[in-house]
Amino acid sequence: MARLAAPFQTSTSTSTSTSTSTTRYAVFGRCPSRRSPRRPHNGIRRRSSQKEEVAYGDPITAFIDKVLKRDQTQSPADGLGEEKLKNLPIESLRDLVVEGVTENQWFVTGRVDARVFSDDFRFVDPSVNVRGVKQYADGVSRLFDGDASRVDIVSAKVNGPNSFEVVWRLEATMRLPLSPKIKPYLVTTVYETDGEGLIVLQKETFSIPDWEVVVSMFAPWIGSPPEPPVTAPPKL
C-alpha cells in the first residue's frame, strides 16, 4: 500500500509562445503532466520522470493517492544527509531495523533511519514501486495515521550475508476521509544490501490479497479473518 510533502509542478509547451502548467500529486513522488507518455513496464504503469521515482501496481492505489490528506510539511525520515552507517554486520543491521520499527513504528510513521539506506534504495510491494528513502518515508507517513496505527514484529531472521527479513503485523488507520481502518494482516519484508552494506532493496508481500486490503476498509468481514494480536516477543 504499504505506502507527501508538497505538490510538484511540471510544465509542457504547446507552441513556442504558449505553455501550460499542471500540478500533480503523488503518494511517493512526482507525477507526469497530462501530456507525458505512459510506458508500461512489466504490467505496471510508470510515471514519466527522469528517475521514475514511483510506479503504481493498480488504478485503486492511484485513486487513493488523489484523496489522501496532505498536511505534511517536513519529511519524517531521520538522518537525511548524515553520514551513512556502512558495512555493519548483517545481524547488527537487522537488530537496528527491529529496534527502529519497534520504537518509532517506522512502517506506519515513516520515521526510518536514513543512514542505513543506500542512495539507490528501492521499495517494492504489490501496489507501488518507489525509488528513494525520502520518497518511501514521506509516502508511509502520508498513507497511515501513525498515531492510530500499530506495528508488531513477529520474527526477524538473517537470510544470508546480504539479506534479512522481518515479519510483522499491521493494524492501521488510513489518512483518508472518514479515517477508515484496514483489517489487520501480516507483512513479510525482505531487505537486501549493496556492496557497502546499505539497504538497497525493501520488498514486501502480504498475507492477504492486495484487493482484500482495500476492501477491508469498507467491508472487513469479506475474505480472511483479521490477524490476531501479537502476544509473544519477536523471534530473532
Side-chain angles (χ1 to χ4, degrees), residues 95-107 109 111:
D95 294 345
L96 189 152
V97 169
V98 168
E99 180 181 357
V101 171
T102 301
E103 294 185 359
N104 294 331
Q105 295 281 292
W106 80 28
F107 287 145
T109 64
R111 293 180 57 194

Side-chain angles (χ1 to χ4, degrees), residues 186-235:
L186 292 182
V187 182
T188 299
T189 300
V190 177
Y191 291 98
E192 295 182 7
T193 60
D194 61 12
E196 296 181 311
L198 298 173
I199 296 172
V200 71
L201 177 65
Q202 177 177 334
K203 187 172 183 179
E204 296 187 343
T205 54
F206 306 153
S207 62
I208 60 177
D210 191 31
W211 65 264
E212 192 174 328
V213 175
V214 177
V215 170
S216 72
M217 290 190 289
F218 314 101
W221 58 88
I222 295 178
S224 309
E227 186 67 27
V230 176
T231 58
K235 299 178 181 178

Side-chain angles (χ1 to χ4, degrees), residues 42-171:
N42 294 335
I44 299 177
R45 188 168 66 187
R46 289 182 174 272
R47 299 202 192 104
S48 176
S49 65
Q50 288 185 342
K51 298 188 72 173
E52 289 190 331
E53 291 175 329
V54 65
Y56 289 130
D58 58 76
I60 295 177
T61 305
F63 172 76
I64 289 175
D65 165 52
K66 294 181 182 296
V67 294
L68 280 172
K69 298 178 182 178
R70 306 181 185 282
D71 56 359
Q72 180 174 312
T73 59
Q74 183 176 356
S75 177
D78 294 325
L80 287 172
E82 296 183 14
E83 184 176 355
K84 299 290 187 179
L85 300 179
K86 299 179 180 180
N87 299 314
L88 293 176
I90 195 69
E91 293 84 2
S92 299
L93 184 58
R94 175 204 60 188
D95 294 345
L96 189 152
V97 169
V98 168
E99 180 181 357
V101 171
T102 301
E103 294 185 359
N104 294 331
Q105 295 281 292
W106 80 28
F107 287 145
V108 290
T109 64
R111 293 180 57 194
V112 303
D113 187 344
R115 298 175 302 169
V116 299
F117 288 85
S118 167
D119 290 338
D120 296 322
F121 169 75
R122 295 192 74 90
F123 168 84
V124 179
D125 78 1
S127 298
V128 293
N129 187 324
V130 181
R131 180 193 297 272
V133 66
K134 181 182 182 299
Q135 286 75 12
Y136 164 71
D138 291 355
V140 167
S141 68
R142 290 274 304 274
L143 187 61
F144 300 115
D145 182 343
D147 294 330
S149 304
R150 181 176 178 82
V151 169
D152 291 292
I153 294 180
V154 177
S155 64
K157 68 176 183 177
V158 171
N159 294 331
N162 303 109
S163 176
F164 65 96
E165 72 177 53
V166 180
V167 178
W168 47 286
R169 177 184 181 269
L170 172 63
E171 183 173 353

